């Protein structure tokens, strides 16, 4: 089964910041998926931080995989049938750059080529609509 996305495709990926895993307590020592997209820098550095925790956001496909899904060792090379579309992954680069750590206010270094790389199940990626007016686009 071929992926419906190829490198360079402009898409929208559904971003969802995990929540509820710590019963509402700020786990300041936990790094990882604490990035919040903010509409302007001031909203990411001041408290309360204001941004989107769930939203379709613009991205550009870097790679997609279907039958080469990197699942558990039992799934890899086991002779199982091809990976269903819902299990295929799309690797992409976010096209929005104002990401802030919700706990510390630290801004993501968007100049780092790998900082904006992410992946999602293909069910959370769709072709980009014409609503996005991005610089250089």
């Amino acid at each position: 089964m071929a992926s419906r996305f190829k490198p360079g495709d402009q898409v929208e990926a559904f971003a969802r910041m995990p929540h509820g895993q710590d019963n509402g307590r700020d786990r300041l020592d936990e790094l990882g998926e604490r990035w919040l997209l903010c509409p302007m820098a001031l909203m990411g550095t001041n408290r309360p931080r204001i941004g989107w925790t769930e939203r379709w956001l613009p991205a550009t496909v870097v790679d997609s995989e279907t039958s080469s899904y990197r699942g558990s060792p039992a799934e890899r090379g086991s002779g199982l049938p091809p990976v269903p579309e819902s299990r295929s992954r799309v690797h992409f680069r976010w096209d929005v750059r104002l990401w802030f750590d919700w706990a510390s206010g630290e801004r993501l270094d968007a100049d780092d080529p790998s900082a904006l790389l992410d992946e999602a199940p293909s069910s959370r990626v769709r072709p980009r609509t014409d609503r996005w007016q991005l610089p250089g686009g």
Side-chain angles (χ1 to χ4, degrees), residues 65-103:
E65 55 185 46
T66 52
S67 59
S68 60
Y69 171 69
R70 297 180 194 142
S72 69
E75 292 173 311
R76 288 182 293 208
S78 64
L80 295 173
V83 178
E85 181 68 20
S86 63
R87 297 283 307 271
S88 64
R89 310 287 294 174
V90 178
H91 300 261
F92 54 86
R93 178 173 284 109
W94 293 111
D95 291 338
V96 287
R97 302 171 62 88
L98 287 177
W99 296 91
F100 293 86
D101 183 298
W102 63 264

Side-chain angles (χ1 to χ4, degrees), residues 104-134:
S104 68
E106 174 188 358
R107 184 174 178 174
L108 181 75
D109 180 9
D111 293 328
D112 176 356
S114 64
L116 297 173
L117 292 176
D118 206 345
E119 69 175 62
S122 62
S123 61
R124 290 178 48 186
V125 179
R126 66 185 186 192
R128 188 180 300 180
T129 62
D130 59 358
R131 294 185 184 123
W132 293 98
Q133 302 297 319
L134 299 173

Side-chain angles (χ1 to χ4, degrees), residues 37-45 50 52 98 100:
L37 176 69
C38 299
M40 60 179 58
L42 187 63
M43 293 180 172
T45 55
I50 300 171
W52 291 284
L98 287 177
F100 293 86

